[in-house]
Amino acid sequence: MRRLEEVIEGTRLVLQQGDITRQEVEAIVNAANPQLTPGGGVSGAIHRAGGPEVTQAAAAIRRQRGPLPTGEAVITPGGNLPAKWVIHTVGPVWRGGGKGEPELLAKAYRSCLDLAVSKGIKSIAFPSISTGVYGYPVERAARVALAAIPDFLREHPGALAEVRMVLFSAEDFEAYRRAWEELSG
Ligand code: APR
């Protein structure tokens, strides 16, 4: 299996190829739409595997607080998933890179990590937010994710035991691996 691991300020940062719905961590992150409906891609897979508990809790949040702004995050139970929680965030739609996309993508990662820490969650797995339907080029998204996560870990030493990036395809894993190697110099 493709896997890389590094320890940053007491937290394991793991890069691996896999299916996020199968991860045995406390929380998995969903690349959601603002309406928090199942949608396709990773979101469809998470709602299918989690079942009605996830979809109904997401719908209740949507009714209560309206559409989720890009870069923000909310939490629901994980239903039938191995993960106890799903943290739903909305990544930016790629519009060429000049519309604040990198900042919004970094904010999405940070919001999920902040929410996890505030709930006492110790292990979290992310998919590659925005790089499917939302069209964010994976090489660029990888650099944003692999800068934002270590920045957070350095600011919150020991707050989390493990942060895992789970890439669905071998190509995406390779893009993240290249960014990982570039950024760790
Ligand atoms: N596990 C891990 N990663 C997955 C899985 C899975 N089971 N299924 C898909 N992916 C990957 C895709 O290969 C892609 O690299 O998740 C990444 C994100 O793709 P999308 O799910 O399309 O997410 P995003 O680009 O953020 O678009 C969000 O898609 O599902 C809709 O309702 C959602 O409108 C929203 C949009």
Side-chain angles (χ1 to χ4, degrees):
M1 189 171 66
R2 293 178 167 84
R3 193 172 188 281
L4 292 172
E5 182 179 320
E6 183 184 334
V7 176
I8 299 175
E9 296 288 346
T11 302
R12 244 184 348 269
L13 176 57
V14 175
L15 199 62
Q16 75 177 54
Q17 194 186 345
D19 179 342
I20 194 132
T21 65
R22 312 279 293 267
Q23 303 302 308
E24 296 186 355
V25 286
E26 280 179 73
I28 63 170
V29 171
N30 180 22
N33 59 61
Q35 305 302 326
L36 302 174
T37 53
V42 74
S43 179
I46 288 173
H47 280 264
R48 259 194 315 280
E53 197 183 348
V54 176
T55 305
Q56 284 165 14
I61 293 171
R62 162 70 184 80
R63 278 195 301 276
Q64 203 178 29
R65 51 171 285 175
L68 186 64
T70 303
E72 294 189 15
V74 295
I75 189 165
T76 67
N80 301 324
L81 288 159
K84 186 161 185 232
W85 303 104
V86 178
I87 294 178
H88 306 258
T89 190
V90 179
V93 174
W94 180 255
R95 294 199 176 86
K99 306 274 186 213
E101 293 94 330
E103 294 76 14
L104 287 166
L105 185 59
K107 184 178 174 191
Y109 281 94
R110 270 201 313 275
S111 297
C112 293
L113 292 164
D114 270 328
L115 185 51
V117 169
S118 78
K119 296 284 178 194
I121 289 165
K122 294 287 184 191
S123 56
I124 181 170
F126 284 95
S128 177
I129 298 167
S130 284
T131 62
V133 174
Y134 282 180
Y136 207 118
V138 65
E139 304 274 351
R140 294 178 189 235
R143 289 198 289 268
V144 172
L146 294 178
I149 297 170
D151 281 352
F152 182 92
L153 299 181
R154 285 188 284 265
E155 287 160 17
H156 302 79
L160 291 154
E162 181 172 330
V163 178
R164 210 179 276 181
M165 275 300 315
V166 179
L167 291 322
F168 205 41
S169 69
E171 293 73 26
D172 287 353
F173 177 85
E174 283 307 313
Y176 275 75
R177 189 186 56 74
R178 282 192 294 275
W180 173 292
E181 281 166 6
E182 257 175 48
L183 291 164
S184 53

